[in-house]
Amino acid sequence: CFVYLLFVSYGQAQSATDLSYPEIDTLLESYSSDQQPDAGIRLALEASRLTGAEDSLCGEYLEWVAYFYKMKGEDAKTTFYYDRALSIFQQTVGINSSRYTTALNTVGAYHYYRGAYDKALSFYTAIKDIQKKTLGEEHVDFAGALNNVAYIHIEKAQYREALPLMVQSNAIFVKQLGHDHPNTATSLSNLAFLYEKMGEYDKALPLYLKSKAIQEKEHGTDHPDFADSLKNIAILNEAM
């Protein structure tokens, strides 16, 4: 706990050369919570230059740069620095590392939430392929990757492309976690949502009901996930 950083004046630019890496990380978190993107960009860029492109830490700091540009709403610079970070991770830790897939997920989520679904799909598909190669087709992380790719297809109204991915994802969750696990319940709800979008309400309803039963058993009736289950069923009933 770096309590002495509380005495730093955040109104003045801090030089990375005067700080340890933990201190830099703490200060970047402060700039994030205090909504000071310009100061964060300056510090993160300086830190990335100090570490050098041969160190994966450089990628970490370039991710911070991208994050602060995202805070400023500058999409072109956000994308540029996310891509630079990915390049650093690819060179330093390799494309089959968990850190690289985490970075891919960060960039994929960024494109997803700004509605750039084609770009998001390319990143999530890359994650799926890496998880398949490194973890195998029965791992829950691979199931999660399948689910993410399927959801992009849903956003693009490509329901037939999404369906086999979602079915496979659900089957893995059931096999690895069991029928009553909360993640299985979420997977069932996702599959039900897809059937609902396809207009196949008779297939969606039993899946929503099964998901609700699991949520009630595992979390009780006061949990937000149970409330979401009730909401999903109500919306479907209105559409039927």
Side-chain angles (χ1 to χ4, degrees), residues 78-105:
T78 300
T79 299
F80 174 77
Y81 282 104
Y82 271 142
D83 288 346
R84 282 190 60 187
L86 284 172
S87 178
I88 295 297
F89 289 131
Q90 186 173 353
Q91 296 169 19
T92 57
V93 297
I95 62 173
N96 293 326
S97 69
S98 60
R99 185 60 187 85
Y100 183 68
T101 56
T102 298
L104 286 173
N105 187 72

Side-chain angles (χ1 to χ4, degrees), residues 9 16 21 49 58 80 84 100 114 120 128-129 136 138 152 167 180 182 184 192 209-210 227 231:
S9 173
Y21 289 132
R49 289 191 290 266
C58 179
F80 174 77
R84 282 190 60 187
Y100 183 68
R114 73 187 189 95
K128 175 181 68 70
D129 293 342
E138 295 189 351
I152 301 297
V167 169
D180 295 329
T184 301
L209 291 172
K210 189 172 183 180
K231 180 180 178 180

Side-chain angles (χ1 to χ4, degrees), residues 98-213:
S98 60
R99 185 60 187 85
Y100 183 68
T101 56
T102 298
L104 286 173
N105 187 72
T106 298
V107 183
Y110 164 67
H111 289 303
Y112 172 80
Y113 286 113
R114 73 187 189 95
Y117 298 131
D118 288 335
K119 287 187 176 181
L121 182 60
S122 68
F123 286 102
Y124 283 128
T125 299
I127 294 171
K128 175 181 68 70
D129 293 342
I130 293 171
Q131 301 287 34
K132 179 179 179 180
K133 178 181 178 180
T134 59
L135 301 175
E137 295 185 60
E138 295 189 351
H139 197 282
V140 291
D141 287 348
F142 177 66
L146 288 169
N147 179 83
N148 290 342
V149 173
Y151 244 91
I152 301 297
H153 283 301
I154 292 174
E155 293 288 0
K156 291 164 61 66
Q158 298 172 340
Y159 304 134
R160 293 300 173 185
E161 289 85 346
L163 183 57
L165 300 171
M166 199 72 82
V167 169
Q168 184 182 2
S169 175
N170 177 251
I172 297 169
F173 280 120
V174 170
K175 181 176 181 179
Q176 299 299 329
L177 303 178
H179 290 277
D180 295 329
H181 194 278
N183 287 354
T184 301
T186 300
S187 177
L188 288 168
S189 182
N190 290 342
L191 181 56
F193 175 72
L194 174 56
Y195 280 127
E196 181 181 355
K197 298 291 286 186
M198 296 172 69
E200 299 187 29
Y201 302 141
D202 57 328
K203 293 182 179 179
L205 183 56
L207 295 174
Y208 274 140
L209 291 172
K210 189 172 183 180
S211 176
K212 178 181 75 71

Side-chain angles (χ1 to χ4, degrees), residues 9-31:
S9 173
Y10 294 134
Q12 299 177 356
Q14 301 298 305
S15 173
T17 57
D18 300 327
L19 302 169
S20 67
Y21 289 132
E23 290 172 329
I24 292 172
D25 294 340
T26 301
L27 193 52
L28 288 171
E29 292 284 356
S30 297
Y31 288 145

